[in-house]
Amino acid sequence: MKLYYSPLACSLADHIALIEAGVPFERESVNLKTKRTASGADFNAITRKGYVPALVLDSGEILTENIAILDWLAMQYPVLSVSGDLGRTRVLEALAFISTEVHRSFKPMWHSGAEAERAQARAKISGLLDSLADTQVGDYLFGETPSVADFYLLVMLLWAERFDVRIPVSFVALRHRIVSRPAVQAAMRQEGLISLMNNEPASRVPEGRDHVDA
């Protein structure tokens, strides 16, 4: 398989999941402004959508959209899933909430919104994260081991740190717990995000490589 990603975009969740699953895969970064991959390829020729993540399967088929890719990975590799009759449904529920509510609410931050708009977005995101935190049932969202939903949530928590968004106390602990995992450290190191792991200023993260639609 091959993952196309952009540093600190939501594709980080897929990057982490693949490493957690312990499966071999290739990775290539994408410049979301120029739509060129690290090797110089035209990313629009890989997917007309022009944004990450994109996962090329062994069959050559291409999956896009974070919810779809993360769900597929969880189905293929049970270590990334949640057990029980409603396990998959609960994970999809969380992924949908993170994607359609939390993720999109960061738009004013990434697209230079007015300060009043950014302040409103911060308050909204905090409220959404409070709601999600109320559903947490263990060290992670669904128990004592992380699922793909936790990895997507981590990206939102990293964005929250970058843009000074208040997050629930339980999510502060969850963030540290996830970041301490070897797979997460490996993915962040490969994406050049070690500064976030070491609590260095978020401004150290490379500019121009993140996108709210990614």
Side-chain angles (χ1 to χ4, degrees), residues 79-90:
V79 69
L80 304 173
S81 65
V82 173
S83 61
D85 293 340
L86 285 177
R88 182 185 179 195
T89 301
R90 290 302 184 192

Side-chain angles (χ1 to χ4, degrees), residues 20 79 81-83 135-147 150-151 174 177-178 180-181:
E20 281 275 356
V79 69
S81 65
V82 173
S83 61
T135 69
Q136 185 177 343
V137 296
D139 284 347
Y140 298 96
L141 284 174
F142 298 105
E144 303 313 308
T145 57
S147 72
D150 292 280
F151 303 142
L174 184 148
R177 195 173 292 120
I178 298 177
S180 70
R181 298 182 67 84

Side-chain angles (χ1 to χ4, degrees), residues 104-176:
R104 72 174 182 173
S105 295
F106 276 94
K107 186 174 181 178
M109 313 299 192
W110 291 118
H111 294 279
S112 302
E115 181 51 40
E117 187 180 11
R118 290 161 69 93
Q120 185 177 22
R122 288 189 188 96
K124 180 178 181 180
I125 294 165
S126 291
L128 292 169
L129 291 174
D130 285 338
S131 296
L132 187 58
D134 287 341
T135 69
Q136 185 177 343
V137 296
D139 284 347
Y140 298 96
L141 284 174
F142 298 105
E144 303 313 308
T145 57
S147 72
V148 290
D150 292 280
F151 303 142
Y152 197 174
L153 173 60
L154 173 63
V155 179
M156 299 300 101
L157 298 180
L158 294 175
W159 289 5
E161 181 184 41
R162 177 170 184 158
F163 295 115
D164 298 320
V165 175
R166 179 194 62 79
I167 67 174
V169 173
S170 63
F171 278 0
V172 173
L174 184 148
R175 175 188 175 277
H176 288 298

Side-chain angles (χ1 to χ4, degrees), residues 46-64:
I46 298 167
T47 169
R48 292 183 180 181
K49 293 177 178 178
Y51 55 78
V52 295
L55 182 66
V56 182
L57 305 182
D58 290 341
S59 64
E61 292 186 83
I62 299 175
L63 292 181
T64 61

Side-chain angles (χ1 to χ4, degrees), residues 9 19 26 32 38-39 43 59 96 99 102 117 124 171 186 190 206:
I19 298 175
E26 298 178 5
L32 295 175
S39 64
F43 187 57
S59 64
S99 180
V102 184
E117 187 180 11
K124 180 178 181 180
F171 278 0
Q190 289 159 1

Side-chain angles (χ1 to χ4, degrees), residues 1 21 23 57 63 69-81:
M1 292 184 288
V23 296
L57 305 182
L63 292 181
I69 294 174
L70 291 172
D71 176 57
W72 184 85
L73 289 172
M75 287 194 296
Q76 300 301 309
Y77 309 107
V79 69
L80 304 173
S81 65

